[in-house]
Amino acid sequence: MNESPLNYDDFLVCIRIMIATTDQVALKLSCLQSSQRAITLRNMRRGEYTVYLQLQPKFNTDSSTDMELKSLIMSKSEVSLPLQVSYISELLPTLNLPSSLKEYATNAETSTADVTLSYRILGLPSAVSQVQTCLQVIDGNTNALLLKSTCVPREHTEFTLSRMKAGKYKALLTLRNELDPSKSYENTTKAVEIDIRPPVEFTPSYNWQPLHAWHTIPSGIETRLPVGGEGHKEARIPNPWKLQIAMPHPCKYFLRMDLLRDSTMDDISKRASNQCVFQSECFMIQVLQSEGIEMNADNYITLPGDSTVEDTNFFSSEKRIILDPKCHSPS
């Protein structure tokens, strides 16, 4: 007796989906008519999945033969497929730069600076497999092209520009297709402003001020990093700050005291008097030359007793304490 052959109408196509990383069920077993050739999975979350497909016979009897055949067909027909759901942005390579502004001080010997531009290429492996990074440098003031497009393979993570002279520049980094360098990826060009200047001494105040790479910092300055890591480091004169200055002969040791921005020269003289045998009026607080004020023979000027630490720029000045020649040591 010949049995009739099975045809597609005798089967259902069944699908179930598991989360690849946890083996949890993402979609319970669902079956379609064999005539259907596609299934739409909606609202799938980002992640990795395993899709299982199998044929399931439609006949449903209690005979052991049919049950064995049904089980055999289902086990033999099952196939698994990997499925990865990603953000659209991950399907295209992107450039990540730690900063859009780079500041440098020139070297004292060469009057140039070496600039390092670090970056990362983000995206799925399939998205970055044929990517190369290209760099152009233009003048920051005139937009004149200084460096034609130079490209490196995706394994590189930085460009180095050696012996750059003082000035402002703009570096343009772009991702291009390695097989076709004329093709750039949309929205992947990033600009980095480069500012190179000769070293200059930082002029501190009691307010927070930006601290640039070309600033040389006097000792005793208080600094802080920008909130969130973006922006400039800042610096100011601490309030109070500690004064340490040699006492004049015949007094001994050093004068050490905390000074506020509104402390006066008289405050310093009184502290010096407490440490030595002379009256406070005998101590003269001096700083090295200052424009617009008559200077004495050795280029030090004596500060008025009521002048404040802030008004006289006492923190940043070269300073000393001397005794008034009119004062004599107490017997």
Side-chain angles (χ1 to χ4, degrees), residues 167-183:
K168 293 187 176 182
Y169 306 88
K170 182 181 289 186
L172 301 176
L173 288 85
T174 304
L175 295 182
R176 296 186 180 275
N177 187 293
E178 195 171 34
L179 300 180
D180 184 5
S182 63
K183 176 185 176 182

Side-chain angles (χ1 to χ4, degrees), residues 295-311:
M295 298 182 294
N296 59 20
D298 58 3
N299 288 342
Y300 275 87
I301 61 169
T302 300
L303 299 175
D306 60 353
S307 60
T308 67
V309 166
E310 182 176 13
D311 291 340

